[in-house]
Amino acid sequence: MSSVICRTAVVPARASVFPRAAKARAAVTSAARCAKPRNVSAKGRKGMLADLMDDGNDSAGDPVAKVDPRCPCGSGKEYASCCQPHHDGTAPADAVTPENIVRARFSAYVKNAPKYIVASTHPDSKDMKRKDDPAEAREQLEKDADATRKKVNFTSLRVKAIKEGDEETFVTYEVSYKGAGKKNRGGTKTLAERSRYKKADGEFKYFDALPLNSSSDMNAVGQI
């Protein structure tokens, strides 16, 4: 390594009665000065970048963190073959069931896919009627979904019951979540909902939902 601190310094010294020993000591001193510096860790409050540097490898190694291939909806399948096709708009028609929509909407908040929340919402839903202009209503819903994603960390989904119908289906489920950022200190909370899915152009879409305040209410699936 070429560096100013590694150049051998010639320092006048008193004559030694052991010239060979003096030369040996000078060589040792020069080698010590050129030794590779040890890594020094900064002390104090860490930021996100510091944490990544502590946990990761060098550029020639593996990535800092491996992406979990499992779908966040809890199906046990890989995301690529579970909810991702719904988010990408490539899911086959027979896979667009109310239960799968519930799972895909949950995963959309985890995977940053707010556009799917809009695409899976029924055009006659009250969420689509908040603006006179349908385009503005869709835009507002996407913004709201993105805001929810940033404020809430969704951790798990449990589908509890399904009541099927030809034109209308009800799905009851529980969602565990934590507040993002500083609100994360509040611990995990659970929300139970019974959601309704109605067909639009022959395809089921989310219509509305009723929060459930007690576990006993979960037996009354379909009574919105």
Side-chain angles (χ1 to χ4, degrees), residues 8-11 13 19-34:
T8 302
V10 179
V11 181
R20 291 183 180 178
K23 290 181 179 180
R25 286 196 298 271
V28 171
T29 302
S30 176
R33 289 174 179 170
C34 295

Side-chain angles (χ1 to χ4, degrees), residues 89-130:
T90 59
D94 60 352
V96 186
T97 65
E99 178 182 356
N100 287 343
I101 297 172
V102 169
R103 294 186 179 280
R105 285 171 68 92
F106 174 86
S107 296
Y109 287 108
V110 180
K111 291 292 188 177
N112 187 17
K115 290 183 182 298
Y116 177 74
I117 301 299
V118 179
S120 60
T121 299
H122 198 285
D124 292 332
S125 169
K126 63 180 180 180
D127 290 328
M128 292 296 198
K129 301 296 183 181
R130 289 183 294 173

Side-chain angles (χ1 to χ4, degrees), residues 96-99 162-171 195-199 202-205 221-222:
V96 186
T97 65
E99 178 182 356
I162 302 172
K163 183 177 180 180
E164 297 181 344
D166 292 336
E167 298 294 325
E168 192 173 75
T169 292
F170 299 88
V171 182
S195 57
R196 175 164 52 174
Y197 294 81
K198 300 179 70 172
K199 283 190 174 181
E203 185 176 286
F204 278 110
K205 291 183 180 292
V221 179

Side-chain angles (χ1 to χ4, degrees), residues 42 46 75 80 84 139 157 177:
K46 289 185 178 181
S75 66
Q84 186 174 20
E139 182 180 355
L157 167 70
Y177 66 95

Side-chain angles (χ1 to χ4, degrees), residues 5-162:
I5 64 171
C6 288
R7 294 174 186 169
T8 302
V10 179
V11 181
R14 297 190 318 180
S16 171
V17 294
F18 302 106
R20 291 183 180 178
K23 290 181 179 180
R25 286 196 298 271
V28 171
T29 302
S30 176
R33 289 174 179 170
C34 295
K36 185 178 180 180
R38 296 176 61 187
N39 292 332
V40 179
S41 298
K43 302 294 183 180
R45 186 175 182 179
K46 289 185 178 181
M48 180 176 65
L49 182 60
D51 289 338
L52 290 175
M53 293 176 68
D54 286 350
D55 296 337
N57 298 319
D58 57 29
S59 58
D62 295 329
V64 172
K66 294 182 179 180
V67 177
D68 190 343
R70 294 174 298 180
C71 193
C73 77
S75 66
K77 302 176 184 178
E78 291 191 359
Y79 173 64
S81 60
C82 188
C83 289
Q84 186 174 20
H86 293 269
H87 298 164
D88 295 342
T90 59
D94 60 352
V96 186
T97 65
E99 178 182 356
N100 287 343
I101 297 172
V102 169
R103 294 186 179 280
R105 285 171 68 92
F106 174 86
S107 296
Y109 287 108
V110 180
K111 291 292 188 177
N112 187 17
K115 290 183 182 298
Y116 177 74
I117 301 299
V118 179
S120 60
T121 299
H122 198 285
D124 292 332
S125 169
K126 63 180 180 180
D127 290 328
M128 292 296 198
K129 301 296 183 181
R130 289 183 294 173
K131 301 285 186 179
D132 293 333
D133 185 350
E136 291 182 3
R138 294 172 65 87
E139 182 180 355
Q140 183 61 53
L141 179 56
E142 183 177 342
K143 289 180 179 179
D144 292 345
D146 189 53
T148 298
R149 177 188 64 81
K150 293 176 180 178
K151 293 178 181 178
V152 180
N153 290 328
F154 292 93
T155 57
S156 66
L157 167 70
R158 296 171 297 281
V159 175
K160 308 295 289 187
I162 302 172

